[in-house]
Amino acid sequence: MTSTRLATPSARNARYDIDGLMAAIEGIPLVTDPVAVRRRSRDFFWYSPVLNEQLSGKSADLLVVPRDEADVIRVAAACTRRRIPITVRAGGTGNYGQAVPLEGGVLLDVTGLSAVEWHRPGIVRAQAGAKMHDIDAMTRPAGWELRMHPSTKRTATIGGFVAGGSGGIGSVTYGGLREPGNILAARIVTAEEEPRVIELRGDAAQKVNRAYGTTGIITALEMPLAPAWRWIALIITFDDFFEAMRFGYEAALADGVVKKLLTPMIWPVPSNFPALRPYIPDGKSILIAMIAQPSLETFKAILGTRGTITYEEPDDESPNVVPLYEYTWNHTTLHWLKQDRTITYLQCLFPHERVIDSVREMWALFPDEVLPHTEFIRFGGRVTCSALPIVRYRSAERLNEIIALHERHGVLIANPHVFTLEDGSRHKRADADQAGYKAEVDPFGLLNPGKMRSYVPQRA
Amino acid sequence: MTSTRLATPSARNARYDIDGLMAAIEGIPLVTDPVAVRRRSRDFFWYSPVLNEQLSGKSADLLVVPRDEADVIRVAAACTRRRIPITVRAGGTGNYGQAVPLEGGVLLDVTGLSAVEWHRPGIVRAQAGAKMHDIDAMTRPAGWELRMHPSTKRTATIGGFVAGGSGGIGSVTYGGLREPGNILAARIVTAEEEPRVIELRGDAAQKVNRAYGTTGIITALEMPLAPAWRWIALIITFDDFFEAMRFGYEAALADGVVKKLLTPMIWPVPSNFPALRPYIPDGKSILIAMIAQPSLETFKAILGTRGTITYEEPDDESPNVVPLYEYTWNHTTLHWLKQDRTITYLQCLFPHERVIDSVREMWALFPDEVLPHTEFIRFGGRVTCSALPIVRYRSAERLNEIIALHERHGVLIANPHVFTLEDGSRHKRADADQAGYKAEVDPFGLLNPGKMRSYVPQRA
């Protein structure tokens, strides 16, 4: 774990010309109340006991809420001229402190940039602060929806999802955000004294993927859309977790079955889902799935008698309904944390050529300490699974030992217990050249400083 | 190569009670003219010099053209009572003699059963004789199309495609017909004295896949539909065939790129496409692709400067337009055969874990004799490629030697130079239990006799 020495709040206030900034951006909504600013300076980093200790005291000096891109440009210019850091936040649903201002300064809340600019068959263009749930609601009547979304879709924004990276519900078909074509374009504002607005298209758009807002302030994104199927959400119970794994793997490999989610998890993980307990008898491992209605018959044929379908309902995206996918990906962890704060989690990527054996190997190493919760995905064109296992937390040292043992056995870990890009994001595309690009768009190193720790500002 | 002793036409006429049959099915359209019957008793088996020699003299005694399923039932009953063979045919676009009556009898032309019974989002149900092109034309206005089709889509029927098996344009995304979910249901009429009508759903429907009409007379099929994208057809030229292969493989693995076709072929294969020569300079290997319009930008970004796009037009399905896909799959072979009848072809399946190396290995073994034309597909959930290489034909012995050398190097061959199921269809699902099922639906062995050579009739 990296330990970084950070400025204390009092030092920050002395350091930045906040009054001058406020005068320069007059007319743009802002919040100065320290309690409110501090509350908005947090995300779900408390999932990690390590991060919780490191980040819990951090806060911005000022919350600024731009109404449009013109406001963003004014704030970027005013901050850059005064060398005040800018940390962008939106829904605040991340888990790695991506939106936590390590060095104070301005917290830029972009949730006001929420318009869907346009959509046509297969493509949507939305402002960074548009909620993913709202984007889907707008495109679904035309038969389209986002290819993938995190389990926090109801509150997460498209900008935050892209800046945080990874994938989610839908990645079993389309892979993660890193796959070519899963981000079509990004529009960013630079942190320069005369900010530029840059359109990054295609591979260049990967420069903002999982960069935590360090490589430009994202104002709009062009994202690919998928056909909006009538999704059926299912819970299937199994006597044996590895039976759920084998079935999930077969279903993931079945290219004739249209699917959005295949999530096996071992008992007792589902014991922490009170609302679902009518569908999950004691002791059963489960698989949660989302399957296109016309593929349901085939999906059940593949299942055969190996498991029991205890829940089968059309996915309901109505405002007051909790969708089944809110029990998968990192929501799985959240449900356990609601009952018991002694656990935490990891993020694993298993080798595609021996995925089930590899999961079994890891489980055998830590049978009661690391409880498998896997997510089938495509990665680089291959079916494999990632995992967000529940870890019974003992100490930071033991956590690092567990990570090292996974890596020694060929399991990649995207460490969710660090707040810098470099330490955490080993799933990331290597060729995006984010550090080099950062020099162009953030010469003073003001964008979310501390998150890209290898970056040395060109001009101090 | 299996050599089977077959009855001569004169023996056939003596053997079957054709007059009694004609009386029993009075009112059902039929053709008795031997020249017309013989013409309809053929398919494209002449692609293979071996099959051409074995099958060219074969003919049915009578062509019967049922107008509906009730007619089919009457014919099945009347034939079974008289122990007269029934060989089903429709578009006649197959290459293995699947519709060639080896033992005479009735040739059952099901092209009259051409109705699309219904379609809804994701599923179509059509009679066996419906042309695939007509099915697409009916479902496209609602935003749907068949998941895959052969290069003969404009004349092939859905029944013939399923009875012939394999896959085609679309298999790069959905795999072949053998994948679970790619045939949802089949309705068949049995060859019994009191024929039954049986609905085979799910995995059971695989019993008619690539069975050449030996396991029941298919009257209707329920097939999955895919979203009907606006497809862009492209020709990309390359200096080096293996550059086309590497690019094609990357594009096939790119789950963020929506695609229907990725077909690399080595020069001089495209020298036989006169109409396309303006787009293909001498000496260039090419890749033909069909890409969803919203994925085109990403597709081009993956290509980079490795190849040159010389043709890029929306796929045009108008009646008098030759679509670009009619230069791929087995149409590639046809275009060469039109210029030069001294060549033939093979059907290969390369191991997915070393697909490019394996293609290169085979090419090195026969650099001028077996010219690579590959087709990227999904097979069992993995990206790999099949191939229909052009083979400069020397003799049946040499052809078998080439096949044996491929197999020795781990390349599966679906031999297109044999007319029986067992010898040809090594790609086929093993668990469909077609032979066992045949005993139930064809106790006297009357359905396309000789094609399932391992079958011994239960009752003679």
Side-chain angles (χ1 to χ4, degrees):
Chain A
M1 215 62 40
T2 310
S3 163
T4 311
R5 229 196 294 226
L6 300 168
T8 61
S10 56
R12 282 204 314 264
N13 287 333
R15 198 163 46 174
Y16 306 126
D17 176 15
I18 298 294
D19 291 342
L21 173 70
M22 285 171 64
I25 61 172
E26 210 201 316
I28 300 178
L30 49 79
V31 176
T32 55
D33 170 38
V35 175
V37 173
R38 183 165 179 277
R39 197 173 52 232
R40 294 285 282 164
S41 296
R42 298 170 59 81
D43 64 14
F44 283 78
F45 62 76
W46 55 266
Y47 273 38
S48 161
V50 180
L51 289 183
N52 198 32
E53 201 170 293
Q54 293 174 333
L55 299 180
S56 62
K58 307 301 163 208
S59 179
D61 297 294
L62 188 65
L63 177 70
V64 182
V65 190
R67 296 153 299 184
D68 51 28
E69 192 183 70
D71 281 357
V72 172
I73 294 169
R74 279 182 66 200
V75 175
C79 284
T80 307
R81 286 167 197 167
R82 289 168 186 80
R83 308 293 188 261
I84 299 175
I86 305 167
T87 300
V88 182
R89 83 159 265 146
T93 60
N95 307 111
Y96 324 110
Q98 77 183 57
V100 176
L102 297 178
E103 304 190 8
V106 164
L107 188 64
L108 193 71
D109 179 339
V110 296
T111 51
L113 281 72
S114 62
V116 172
E117 296 181 3
W118 52 258
H119 62 95
R120 58 172 186 246
I123 308 184
V124 65
R125 188 169 174 110
Q127 292 183 333
K131 281 188 190 168
M132 300 183 76
H133 190 272
D134 295 342
I135 295 173
D136 273 5
M138 282 199 67
T139 57
R140 268 204 155 254
W144 300 95
E145 64 181 20
L146 290 164
R147 282 182 174 175
M148 69 192 75
H149 62 80
S151 63
T152 50
K153 174 181 159 191
R154 292 197 293 169
T155 46
T157 63
I158 190 67
F161 183 49
V162 166
S166 189
I169 292 104
S171 291
V172 68
T173 296
Y174 292 101
L177 284 166
R178 68 187 280 286
E179 301 292 338
N182 283 342
I183 304 170
L184 295 175
R187 184 174 165 100
I188 63 153
V189 171
T190 63
E192 296 177 288
E193 297 193 353
E194 301 291 336
R196 288 170 296 155
V197 177
I198 300 176
E199 178 87 4
L200 300 166
R201 293 206 68 86
D203 202 47
Q206 287 292 336
K207 288 167 180 164
V208 301
N209 179 18
R210 202 166 194 159
Y212 298 179
T214 59
T215 54
I217 302 166
I218 308 171
T219 56
L221 287 157
E222 210 171 293
M223 301 294 284
L225 294 174
W229 292 88
R230 181 179 158 87
W231 297 110
I232 308 298
L234 301 109
I235 300 172
I236 310 170
T237 64
F238 295 85
D239 290 336
D240 171 28
F241 172 71
F242 284 94
E243 195 69 82
M245 278 296 296
R246 279 187 297 270
F247 165 64
Y249 189 46
E250 279 176 47
L253 286 170
D255 288 316
V257 173
V258 178
K259 53 203 163 272
K260 200 168 178 180
L261 183 68
L262 288 171
T263 309
M265 55 184 86
I266 201 165
W267 181 266
V269 178
S271 70
N272 295 289
F273 305 162
L276 300 186
R277 290 306 310 278
Y279 313 105
I280 308 172
D282 270 10
K284 297 285 184 185
S285 291
I286 66 169
L287 183 142
I288 294 178
M290 285 174 73
I291 305 296
Q293 196 274 326
S295 289
L296 198 57
E297 185 180 0
T298 308
F299 179 75
K300 291 179 182 177
I302 296 172
L303 174 64
T305 57
R306 289 183 280 184
T308 307
I309 296 172
T310 56
Y311 177 92
E312 175 187 335
E313 293 290 340
D315 176 50
D316 186 344
E317 302 270 335
S318 315
N320 298 315
V321 177
V322 177
L324 198 56
Y325 65 69
E326 284 195 9
Y327 292 88
T328 68
W329 287 82
N330 230 344
H331 259 84
T332 310
T333 319
L334 179 63
H335 287 288
W336 192 315
L337 282 168
K338 278 179 184 169
Q339 318 284 328
D340 167 16
R341 291 289 284 267
T342 68
I343 61 101
T344 187
Y345 75 114
L346 278 178
Q347 292 185 168
C348 314
L349 179 67
F350 293 91
H352 69 87
E353 67 282 4
R354 48 187 291 277
V355 51
I356 296 195
D357 286 349
S358 179
V359 171
R360 190 191 298 275
E361 218 168 82
M362 288 306 98
W363 183 59
L365 278 182
F366 320 99
D368 296 313
E369 192 177 5
V370 183
L371 305 177
H373 150 215
T374 57
E375 296 284 351
F376 282 101
I377 57 168
R378 284 191 176 273
F379 190 88
R382 276 94 179 184
V383 170
T384 184
C385 76
S386 58
L388 299 99
I390 300 290
V391 179
R392 299 196 196 266
Y393 184 70
R394 285 151 57 183
S395 67
E397 290 65 36
R398 176 59 182 166
L399 197 57
N400 284 335
E401 211 170 273
I402 292 171
I403 290 172
L405 278 164
H406 275 77
E407 291 179 335
R408 201 169 309 155
H409 285 81
V411 179
L412 292 177
I413 298 288
N415 189 348
H417 303 282
V418 293
F419 55 76
T420 65
L421 280 175
E422 292 87 343
D423 296 317
S425 59
R426 299 186 197 173
H427 291 190
K428 204 178 54 173
R429 280 168 78 89
D431 61 347
D433 191 19
Q434 291 178 332
Y437 186 69
K438 183 172 172 65
E440 288 176 40
V441 298
D442 183 23
F444 303 102
L446 299 172
L447 293 176
N448 210 348
K451 295 291 165 50
M452 191 187 281
R453 72 169 159 80
S454 58
Y455 179 69
V456 180
Q458 304 293 94
R459 297 176 267 170
Chain B
M1 215 61 42
T2 309
S3 163
T4 310
R5 231 199 291 230
L6 300 169
T8 60
S10 58
R12 282 204 312 264
N13 288 332
R15 199 165 44 175
Y16 306 128
D17 176 14
I18 298 294
D19 290 343
L21 173 69
M22 285 170 64
I25 61 171
E26 211 202 315
I28 300 177
L30 48 79
V31 176
T32 55
D33 170 38
V35 175
V37 173
R38 184 165 178 276
R39 197 173 52 232
R40 295 284 283 165
S41 296
R42 298 169 59 82
D43 64 13
F44 283 78
F45 61 76
W46 54 266
Y47 274 39
S48 161
V50 180
L51 289 183
N52 198 33
E53 200 169 295
Q54 293 175 333
L55 299 180
S56 62
K58 306 302 165 209
S59 180
D61 298 293
L62 186 68
L63 177 70
V64 181
V65 190
R67 296 154 301 184
D68 53 26
E69 191 181 72
D71 279 358
V72 172
I73 294 168
R74 277 183 67 201
V75 175
C79 284
T80 307
R81 286 169 198 165
R82 289 166 185 81
R83 307 295 187 260
I84 299 176
I86 304 167
T87 300
V88 181
R89 82 160 265 148
T93 61
N95 307 110
Y96 324 109
Q98 78 184 57
V100 176
L102 297 178
E103 304 190 7
V106 163
L107 187 64
L108 193 72
D109 179 338
V110 295
T111 51
L113 281 72
S114 63
V116 172
E117 295 180 3
W118 51 259
H119 61 96
R120 58 172 186 246
I123 308 183
V124 64
R125 189 170 174 110
Q127 292 182 333
K131 282 188 191 167
M132 300 182 77
H133 190 273
D134 295 343
I135 295 173
D136 273 5
M138 282 199 66
T139 57
R140 268 203 157 257
W144 300 95
E145 64 182 19
L146 290 165
R147 284 182 174 174
M148 68 193 74
H149 62 80
S151 63
T152 51
K153 174 181 157 189
R154 292 198 293 169
T155 47
T157 63
I158 190 67
F161 182 50
V162 166
S166 189
I169 292 105
S171 291
V172 68
T173 296
Y174 293 101
L177 284 166
R178 67 187 282 285
E179 301 292 336
N182 283 341
I183 304 170
L184 295 174
R187 184 175 164 100
I188 63 154
V189 171
T190 64
E192 296 177 287
E193 297 192 353
E194 301 290 339
R196 289 170 295 153
V197 177
I198 300 176
E199 177 87 5
L200 300 166
R201 293 206 68 87
D203 203 46
Q206 287 291 335
K207 288 168 179 164
V208 300
N209 178 20
R210 201 166 195 160
Y212 297 178
T214 59
T215 53
I217 302 167
I218 307 171
T219 56
L221 287 157
E222 210 171 294
M223 301 295 285
L225 294 174
W229 291 89
R230 180 180 159 87
W231 297 110
I232 308 298
L234 301 108
I235 300 173
I236 309 170
T237 64
F238 294 85
D239 291 334
D240 171 28
F241 173 71
F242 284 94
E243 196 68 84
M245 277 296 296
R246 280 188 296 270
F247 164 63
Y249 189 47
E250 279 176 45
L253 286 170
D255 288 316
V257 174
V258 178
K259 55 204 161 271
K260 200 168 178 180
L261 183 68
L262 288 171
T263 310
M265 55 184 88
I266 203 166
W267 181 267
V269 177
S271 69
N272 296 288
F273 304 162
L276 299 186
R277 290 307 309 280
Y279 313 107
I280 309 172
D282 270 8
K284 297 285 185 185
S285 290
I286 66 169
L287 183 143
I288 294 177
M290 286 174 73
I291 304 295
Q293 195 275 327
S295 289
L296 198 56
E297 185 181 359
T298 308
F299 179 75
K300 290 179 181 178
I302 296 172
L303 174 64
T305 57
R306 287 183 281 184
T308 307
I309 297 173
T310 56
Y311 177 92
E312 177 186 334
E313 295 290 341
D315 177 50
D316 185 345
E317 302 269 336
S318 315
N320 298 315
V321 178
V322 177
L324 197 57
Y325 66 69
E326 284 195 10
Y327 291 88
T328 68
W329 288 82
N330 230 345
H331 259 85
T332 310
T333 319
L334 179 63
H335 288 288
W336 192 316
L337 282 168
K338 278 180 184 169
Q339 318 283 328
D340 167 15
R341 292 288 285 266
T342 68
I343 61 100
T344 187
Y345 75 114
L346 278 178
Q347 292 185 168
C348 313
L349 179 68
F350 293 91
H352 68 87
E353 68 281 4
R354 48 187 292 276
V355 53
I356 296 196
D357 287 348
S358 179
V359 171
R360 190 190 298 277
E361 217 168 83
M362 289 305 98
W363 183 60
L365 278 182
F366 320 99
D368 296 312
E369 192 178 5
V370 182
L371 305 176
H373 151 214
T374 57
E375 297 284 352
F376 282 102
I377 58 167
R378 285 193 175 270
F379 189 88
R382 276 94 179 185
V383 170
T384 185
C385 76
S386 58
L388 300 96
I390 300 291
V391 179
R392 299 195 197 268
Y393 184 69
R394 285 150 59 184
S395 68
E397 290 66 34
R398 176 59 181 165
L399 197 57
N400 284 336
E401 212 169 272
I402 293 170
I403 291 171
L405 278 164
H406 275 77
E407 292 179 334
R408 201 169 307 153
H409 285 82
V411 180
L412 291 179
I413 299 287
N415 190 345
H417 304 282
V418 293
F419 55 76
T420 64
L421 278 174
E422 292 87 344
D423 296 316
S425 58
R426 300 189 197 172
H427 290 191
K428 203 179 56 175
R429 280 169 77 91
D431 60 346
D433 191 20
Q434 291 178 331
Y437 186 66
K438 183 172 171 64
E440 287 177 38
V441 298
D442 182 22
F444 303 102
L446 299 172
L447 292 176
N448 210 348
K451 294 293 164 50
M452 192 188 278
R453 72 169 158 80
S454 58
Y455 179 68
V456 179
Q458 304 294 94
R459 295 176 267 169

